[in-house]
Structure formats: C-alpha cells, structure tokens
Amino acid sequence: MISEKMEKALNEQINEELYSAYLYLAMSAWFESQNLPGFAAWMKVQMREENVHALKLFDFIHERRGRAVLKAIKEPGKDWKSPLAAFEAALEHEQHITGCINKLMNLAVAEKDHATAGLLQWFVKEQVEEEASADRIVQMLKMAANAPGALLMLDHAMGERK
Ligand code: FEO
C-alpha cells in the first residue's frame, strides 16, 4: 500500500508530466509554424516520452493499490521568440521537473517507502539526461546564432531523433 500523502504527491507529478507533454506538443506546433520540421519532430518525440513518464507513475500508483486522479492541465503557451528561446524554456522546465522529482524522493525517503524511492531513482537518472539534452541543444543554437545555414543543418539533424 502507498501512503495517502505519497499517492497525492505522485498524482501531482502525473499532472506535471502531462503538462510537459502538452508544453512540448505546443512547441512542436510553434516549430512547424516556423518551417522547422526537424525541431517540430524532435518535440513530438519528446511529447511521447513525457506521456510514458506519466504512465509509469499512473501504473505504479495502481500497483500499490492507490488511485490515479487526473486534474486539469494548464495551458502551455504558444509562441516563443526564437528556437533558442524555446529550448531555453524547455531547459528551464526540465530543471523545474528535476526539483519536483527531488522533492518526491525526499518524501519517499522520509516515509521509508523504498518501493517508491526505487521508482523515483529511474526518474532521477532520466532527469540528468533530460537536462543534458536540452542544454546541449541550447548550446548548439547559441553557436548557430545569426547563421541561417547552421540552423537549417541543425533542423535536419534534430529530425533524425526516433
Ligand atoms: Fe518527464 Fe522531461 O521530464
């Protein structure tokens, strides 16, 4: 069984992950509007990953005889000033998610809930990757600043993500 407090906290994280999916889908739409289909495709793959994160939490809650409760997902915004601004926002968002995961881990440790801590360990590692990949793209976009050719090449490379 999972504690009521842990169940509520994991449910809040489901909402965070679904919001992440929504945010990246909104960014995908924005990249489409900018004629950057590679970035748009990358964001769509990211959206699917976020749905997987949400489902991991959803399934875990039920395995522990809890209940997933879905709340409204806030609006993600629709315009960014530049590809760099979009990825800076994505990086900032991932840093926020890392903070959420760390708080959940603190609660699991305080409650001596080893099963939840085990699940969260996966998320801790995932967040290292999530921040690193957003940061790498931010750095590449900074290098490509004022060079449309470099941006187009980067767009092509981004579209390779499966
Ligand atoms: Fe599920 Fe990108 O954090």
PDB file of all heavy atoms in Angstrom, residues 35-50:
ATOM      1  N   ASN A  35       8.506  26.766 -39.992  1.00  0.00           N
ATOM      2  CA  ASN A  35       9.108  25.971 -41.076  1.00  0.00           C
ATOM      3  C   ASN A  35      10.399  25.273 -40.643  1.00  0.00           C
ATOM      4  O   ASN A  35      11.383  25.240 -41.392  1.00  0.00           O
ATOM      5  CB  ASN A  35       9.377  26.846 -42.314  1.00  0.00           C
ATOM      6  CG  ASN A  35       8.079  27.305 -42.937  1.00  0.00           C
ATOM      7  OD1 ASN A  35       7.172  26.485 -43.140  1.00  0.00           O
ATOM      8  ND2 ASN A  35       7.957  28.584 -43.176  1.00  0.00           N
ATOM      9  N   LEU A  36      10.358  24.735 -39.434  1.00  0.00           N
ATOM     10  CA  LEU A  36      11.499  23.963 -38.925  1.00  0.00           C
ATOM     11  C   LEU A  36      10.982  22.567 -38.538  1.00  0.00           C
ATOM     12  O   LEU A  36      10.778  22.264 -37.348  1.00  0.00           O
ATOM     13  CB  LEU A  36      12.132  24.689 -37.729  1.00  0.00           C
ATOM     14  CG  LEU A  36      12.873  25.995 -38.072  1.00  0.00           C
ATOM     15  CD1 LEU A  36      13.182  26.814 -36.827  1.00  0.00           C
ATOM     16  CD2 LEU A  36      14.153  25.727 -38.883  1.00  0.00           C
ATOM     17  N   PRO A  37      10.741  21.708 -39.554  1.00  0.00           N
ATOM     18  CA  PRO A  37      10.088  20.424 -39.279  1.00  0.00           C
ATOM     19  C   PRO A  37      10.929  19.458 -38.442  1.00  0.00           C
ATOM     20  O   PRO A  37      10.376  18.608 -37.753  1.00  0.00           O
ATOM     21  CB  PRO A  37       9.840  19.845 -40.685  1.00  0.00           C
ATOM     22  CG  PRO A  37      10.806  20.542 -41.584  1.00  0.00           C
ATOM     23  CD  PRO A  37      11.007  21.906 -40.995  1.00  0.00           C
ATOM     24  N   GLY A  38      12.266  19.593 -38.505  1.00  0.00           N
ATOM     25  CA  GLY A  38      13.120  18.716 -37.707  1.00  0.00           C
ATOM     26  C   GLY A  38      12.942  18.991 -36.214  1.00  0.00           C
ATOM     27  O   GLY A  38      12.777  18.064 -35.410  1.00  0.00           O
ATOM     28  N   PHE A  39      12.963  20.268 -35.839  1.00  0.00           N
ATOM     29  CA  PHE A  39      12.735  20.637 -34.439  1.00  0.00           C
ATOM     30  C   PHE A  39      11.329  20.219 -34.008  1.00  0.00           C
ATOM     31  O   PHE A  39      11.119  19.763 -32.889  1.00  0.00           O
ATOM     32  CB  PHE A  39      12.893  22.150 -34.247  1.00  0.00           C
ATOM     33  CG  PHE A  39      14.314  22.624 -34.212  1.00  0.00           C
ATOM     34  CD1 PHE A  39      14.918  23.146 -35.344  1.00  0.00           C
ATOM     35  CD2 PHE A  39      15.059  22.555 -33.047  1.00  0.00           C
ATOM     36  CE1 PHE A  39      16.234  23.586 -35.319  1.00  0.00           C
ATOM     37  CE2 PHE A  39      16.376  22.997 -33.004  1.00  0.00           C
ATOM     38  CZ  PHE A  39      16.968  23.514 -34.147  1.00  0.00           C
ATOM     39  N   ALA A  40      10.369  20.401 -34.917  1.00  0.00           N
ATOM     40  CA  ALA A  40       8.978  20.029 -34.600  1.00  0.00           C
ATOM     41  C   ALA A  40       8.881  18.528 -34.315  1.00  0.00           C
ATOM     42  O   ALA A  40       8.222  18.100 -33.364  1.00  0.00           O
ATOM     43  CB  ALA A  40       8.059  20.411 -35.762  1.00  0.00           C
ATOM     44  N   ALA A  41       9.578  17.726 -35.136  1.00  0.00           N
ATOM     45  CA  ALA A  41       9.549  16.264 -34.950  1.00  0.00           C
ATOM     46  C   ALA A  41      10.227  15.882 -33.637  1.00  0.00           C
ATOM     47  O   ALA A  41       9.740  15.016 -32.895  1.00  0.00           O
ATOM     48  CB  ALA A  41      10.243  15.581 -36.128  1.00  0.00           C
ATOM     49  N   TRP A  42      11.335  16.536 -33.323  1.00  0.00           N
ATOM     50  CA  TRP A  42      12.054  16.275 -32.063  1.00  0.00           C
ATOM     51  C   TRP A  42      11.121  16.520 -30.872  1.00  0.00           C
ATOM     52  O   TRP A  42      11.048  15.722 -29.933  1.00  0.00           O
ATOM     53  CB  TRP A  42      13.289  17.189 -31.990  1.00  0.00           C
ATOM     54  CG  TRP A  42      14.259  16.849 -30.882  1.00  0.00           C
ATOM     55  CD1 TRP A  42      15.397  16.124 -31.013  1.00  0.00           C
ATOM     56  CD2 TRP A  42      14.176  17.242 -29.504  1.00  0.00           C
ATOM     57  NE1 TRP A  42      16.035  16.033 -29.787  1.00  0.00           N
ATOM     58  CE2 TRP A  42      15.307  16.710 -28.850  1.00  0.00           C
ATOM     59  CE3 TRP A  42      13.264  17.990 -28.754  1.00  0.00           C
ATOM     60  CZ2 TRP A  42      15.545  16.895 -27.487  1.00  0.00           C
ATOM     61  CZ3 TRP A  42      13.498  18.166 -27.383  1.00  0.00           C
ATOM     62  CH2 TRP A  42      14.618  17.625 -26.776  1.00  0.00           C
ATOM     63  N   MET A  43      10.406  17.625 -30.938  1.00  0.00           N
ATOM     64  CA  MET A  43       9.494  17.975 -29.842  1.00  0.00           C
ATOM     65  C   MET A  43       8.346  16.960 -29.729  1.00  0.00           C
ATOM     66  O   MET A  43       7.861  16.674 -28.636  1.00  0.00           O
ATOM     67  CB  MET A  43       8.922  19.380 -30.049  1.00  0.00           C
ATOM     68  CG  MET A  43       9.868  20.480 -29.659  1.00  0.00           C
ATOM     69  SD  MET A  43      10.173  20.441 -27.871  1.00  0.00           S
ATOM     70  CE  MET A  43      11.355  21.785 -27.706  1.00  0.00           C
ATOM     71  N   LYS A  44       7.947  16.409 -30.846  1.00  0.00           N
ATOM     72  CA  LYS A  44       6.862  15.426 -30.809  1.00  0.00           C
ATOM     73  C   LYS A  44       7.348  14.120 -30.153  1.00  0.00           C
ATOM     74  O   LYS A  44       6.620  13.499 -29.387  1.00  0.00           O
ATOM     75  CB  LYS A  44       6.337  15.176 -32.221  1.00  0.00           C
ATOM     76  CG  LYS A  44       4.812  15.067 -32.233  1.00  0.00           C
ATOM     77  CD  LYS A  44       4.301  14.600 -33.556  1.00  0.00           C
ATOM     78  CE  LYS A  44       3.970  15.777 -34.452  1.00  0.00           C
ATOM     79  NZ  LYS A  44       3.535  15.341 -35.782  1.00  0.00           N
ATOM     80  N   VAL A  45       8.591  13.743 -30.455  1.00  0.00           N
ATOM     81  CA  VAL A  45       9.166  12.564 -29.788  1.00  0.00           C
ATOM     82  C   VAL A  45       9.248  12.834 -28.280  1.00  0.00           C
ATOM     83  O   VAL A  45       8.932  11.982 -27.445  1.00  0.00           O
ATOM     84  CB  VAL A  45      10.575  12.220 -30.358  1.00  0.00           C
ATOM     85  CG1 VAL A  45      11.220  11.085 -29.583  1.00  0.00           C
ATOM     86  CG2 VAL A  45      10.474  11.856 -31.834  1.00  0.00           C
ATOM     87  N   GLN A  46       9.653  14.051 -27.930  1.00  0.00           N
ATOM     88  CA  GLN A  46       9.757  14.420 -26.508  1.00  0.00           C
ATOM     89  C   GLN A  46       8.380  14.353 -25.839  1.00  0.00           C
ATOM     90  O   GLN A  46       8.252  13.883 -24.704  1.00  0.00           O
ATOM     91  CB  GLN A  46      10.352  15.835 -26.402  1.00  0.00           C
ATOM     92  CG  GLN A  46      10.715  16.238 -24.983  1.00  0.00           C
ATOM     93  CD  GLN A  46      11.762  15.348 -24.347  1.00  0.00           C
ATOM     94  OE1 GLN A  46      12.581  14.749 -25.037  1.00  0.00           O
ATOM     95  NE2 GLN A  46      11.719  15.225 -23.044  1.00  0.00           N
ATOM     96  N   MET A  47       7.364  14.793 -26.547  1.00  0.00           N
ATOM     97  CA  MET A  47       5.997  14.731 -26.017  1.00  0.00           C
ATOM     98  C   MET A  47       5.628  13.278 -25.687  1.00  0.00           C
ATOM     99  O   MET A  47       5.074  12.991 -24.636  1.00  0.00           O
ATOM    100  CB  MET A  47       5.038  15.328 -27.058  1.00  0.00           C
ATOM    101  CG  MET A  47       3.574  15.283 -26.703  1.00  0.00           C
ATOM    102  SD  MET A  47       2.703  13.778 -27.201  1.00  0.00           S
ATOM    103  CE  MET A  47       2.615  13.944 -28.957  1.00  0.00           C
ATOM    104  N   ARG A  48       5.998  12.350 -26.581  1.00  0.00           N
ATOM    105  CA  ARG A  48       5.656  10.934 -26.342  1.00  0.00           C
ATOM    106  C   ARG A  48       6.398  10.409 -25.118  1.00  0.00           C
ATOM    107  O   ARG A  48       5.838   9.646 -24.332  1.00  0.00           O
ATOM    108  CB  ARG A  48       5.998  10.089 -27.565  1.00  0.00           C
ATOM    109  CG  ARG A  48       5.077  10.383 -28.733  1.00  0.00           C
ATOM    110  CD  ARG A  48       5.132   9.283 -29.793  1.00  0.00           C
ATOM    111  NE  ARG A  48       4.472   9.761 -30.987  1.00  0.00           N
ATOM    112  CZ  ARG A  48       5.112  10.244 -32.059  1.00  0.00           C
ATOM    113  NH1 ARG A  48       6.432  10.252 -32.111  1.00  0.00           N
ATOM    114  NH2 ARG A  48       4.443  10.699 -33.099  1.00  0.00           N
ATOM    115  N   GLU A  49       7.640  10.844 -24.956  1.00  0.00           N
ATOM    116  CA  GLU A  49       8.409  10.409 -23.771  1.00  0.00           C
ATOM    117  C   GLU A  49       7.739  10.877 -22.485  1.00  0.00           C
ATOM    118  O   GLU A  49       7.693  10.164 -21.492  1.00  0.00           O
ATOM    119  CB  GLU A  49       9.829  10.986 -23.811  1.00  0.00           C
ATOM    120  CG  GLU A  49      10.772  10.117 -24.581  1.00  0.00           C
ATOM    121  CD  GLU A  49      12.241  10.388 -24.238  1.00  0.00           C
ATOM    122  OE1 GLU A  49      12.552  11.118 -23.273  1.00  0.00           O
ATOM    123  OE2 GLU A  49      13.082   9.863 -24.971  1.00  0.00           O
ATOM    124  N   GLU A  50       7.226  12.094 -22.528  1.00  0.00           N
ATOM    125  CA  GLU A  50       6.574  12.629 -21.320  1.00  0.00           C
ATOM    126  C   GLU A  50       5.297  11.852 -20.992  1.00  0.00           C
ATOM    127  O   GLU A  50       4.990  11.627 -19.824  1.00  0.00           O
ATOM    128  CB  GLU A  50       6.272  14.127 -21.481  1.00  0.00           C
ATOM    129  CG  GLU A  50       7.480  15.005 -21.701  1.00  0.00           C
ATOM    130  CD  GLU A  50       8.514  14.945 -20.572  1.00  0.00           C
ATOM    131  OE1 GLU A  50       8.243  14.355 -19.515  1.00  0.00           O
ATOM    132  OE2 GLU A  50       9.608  15.469 -20.780  1.00  0.00           O
TER     133      GLU A  50
END
